[in-house]
Amino acid sequence: MTVLGIVGCRIFEDEIVHVLVNDPEIERVYLVENEENRDLLQKLETTGFRPEILPFYEIRDKLKQNHEFSVVIQLQGMGLHVDPARLKSKTYTNVNIMSRLADGILLFYGLCGQAFSRIKKDFPYMGCPIKLLQERSVGEKNGPLEDCVAAALGSNARYREALRMHKDAFFFTPMWAANWRTVFSVGEELMEGFEFTPDHLRELGYRKVARVKTGLSYEPDFEKNIEEFAQYFDFEVMELEGSTEIAMESYSHIRKILSDPLKSPLRA
């Protein structure tokens, strides 16, 4: 029996569905029972998966009864990113729980404001490998992504270049576009001293919203959601080409470790 644990932000729902759909060896998918996994369940079901939604202790009991390759998923709220300390605390708790049943854990996160910059040092004796999303381009130094936008654009370098070229833009992936009102609490104070309002964003220099096209279509109203955001804030819409390369490569890497642990260093 081999078990892969996934702990991640809901912002990566589409990428998670994509990597699972492209892995023909998966026999079972389990979702930890909570509100954050609800939309992921619906997306997985549209692709033919029939995940089981159970409390953690019941998933553990189920895994003891089979010898198949299984994936266990625990998603976390998108709003956690505004507080790196809280994000780190909640994620570390879920990583500890997941490590009790998984042979390896893939974190669908970048560094996220340095919340996970010490994750290898903080889990030195974990009995299974823990991996963040990483860029693994030929000729480039392997390293964790800065955040979800860097992952969608394909590398930290592309992200930094996009920021340099478009300093006045918000970058939206399909999931950001689908959830911007909730995540940014429109009409309310998001953080002390910050209001997500048209006037305030213009004072900060924002004038555009960049539609990052990842090629995934699990959020069918991507363009509509972008237009709604642009209209609300009176922003110009622009497009940037993205990809699922980072998600696929990171998933493939942890799968190779699990399939041949003797040849793959646990924390490479």
Side-chain angles (χ1 to χ4, degrees):
M1 176 186 71
T2 301
V3 180
L4 170 62
I6 291 177
V7 177
C9 179
R10 276 197 59 218
I11 213 73
F12 285 109
E13 275 182 6
D14 295 356
E15 286 80 1
I16 291 171
V17 174
H18 183 65
V19 298
L20 298 186
V21 165
N22 283 279
D23 186 346
E25 296 183 7
I26 295 175
E27 296 290 342
R28 292 181 183 271
V29 175
Y30 297 94
L31 303 183
V32 178
E33 188 175 52
N34 71 15
E35 184 67 18
E36 302 298 345
N37 284 333
R38 181 189 60 191
D39 290 346
L40 177 63
L41 169 65
Q42 296 175 358
K43 291 176 180 179
L44 286 170
E45 288 179 336
T46 64
T47 67
F49 279 106
R50 293 293 178 265
E52 294 189 55
I53 309 174
L54 299 166
F56 168 77
Y57 68 90
E58 290 189 22
I59 294 176
R60 182 177 55 193
D61 292 341
K62 285 270 189 177
L63 291 172
K64 292 178 181 178
Q65 300 170 17
N66 71 68
H67 300 281
E68 304 162 323
F69 173 54
S70 302
V71 179
V72 181
I73 304 171
Q74 168 71 76
L75 293 189
Q76 303 183 147
M78 290 178 283
L80 290 172
H81 74 282
V82 302
D83 186 345
R86 182 165 168 249
L87 170 61
K88 178 179 179 179
S89 176
K90 187 172 183 64
T91 303
Y92 277 28
T93 296
N94 281 325
V95 165
N96 270 309
I97 293 172
M98 189 69 76
S99 70
R100 299 172 193 172
L101 53 80
D103 299 294
I105 299 172
L106 178 58
L107 292 179
F108 268 81
Y109 280 105
L111 291 176
C112 296
Q114 300 302 309
F116 305 121
S117 61
R118 290 179 48 87
I119 194 160
K120 289 185 179 181
K121 294 180 180 179
D122 290 340
F123 291 97
Y125 305 114
M126 184 66 70
C128 64
I130 305 170
K131 299 294 179 183
L132 288 166
L133 295 178
Q134 289 190 324
E135 50 183 327
R136 298 183 174 278
S137 303
V138 176
E140 297 289 337
K141 182 180 179 180
N142 295 346
L145 276 296
E146 293 182 13
D147 59 24
C148 56
V149 177
L153 289 173
S155 72
N156 286 330
R158 293 177 198 168
Y159 185 32
R160 287 191 289 268
E161 178 65 11
L163 288 172
R164 186 183 69 82
M165 296 291 294
H166 309 289
K167 297 178 181 179
D168 59 349
F170 265 90
F171 298 86
F172 272 8
T173 62
M175 278 296 290
W176 270 118
N179 294 277
W180 65 269
R181 285 185 178 274
T182 300
V183 175
F184 293 119
S185 302
V186 171
E188 302 175 8
E189 286 196 2
L190 177 65
M191 295 175 285
E192 184 177 353
F194 184 88
E195 290 185 3
F196 202 76
T197 63
D199 288 344
H200 197 186
L201 291 189
R202 286 195 167 273
E203 288 178 8
L204 294 174
Y206 290 106
R207 299 290 187 275
K208 301 175 184 176
V209 55
R211 179 167 52 222
V212 182
K213 300 172 65 177
T214 62
L216 301 178
S217 58
Y218 301 112
E219 288 292 336
D221 295 327
F222 186 24
E223 292 190 8
K224 176 183 176 182
N225 293 332
I226 289 285
E227 292 296 336
E228 182 183 71
F229 179 88
Q231 184 176 13
Y232 184 90
F233 291 99
D234 193 24
F235 279 7
E236 176 186 341
V237 177
M238 55 173 288
E239 285 191 353
L240 292 174
E241 287 298 324
S243 74
T244 58
E245 178 182 355
I246 294 295
M248 291 296 291
E249 289 181 352
S250 297
Y251 182 82
S252 295
H253 182 65
I254 191 76
R255 287 286 280 117
K256 287 178 181 177
I257 291 175
L258 296 184
S259 64
D260 197 352
L262 295 180
K263 292 184 179 181
S264 300
L266 285 183
R267 300 184 185 277

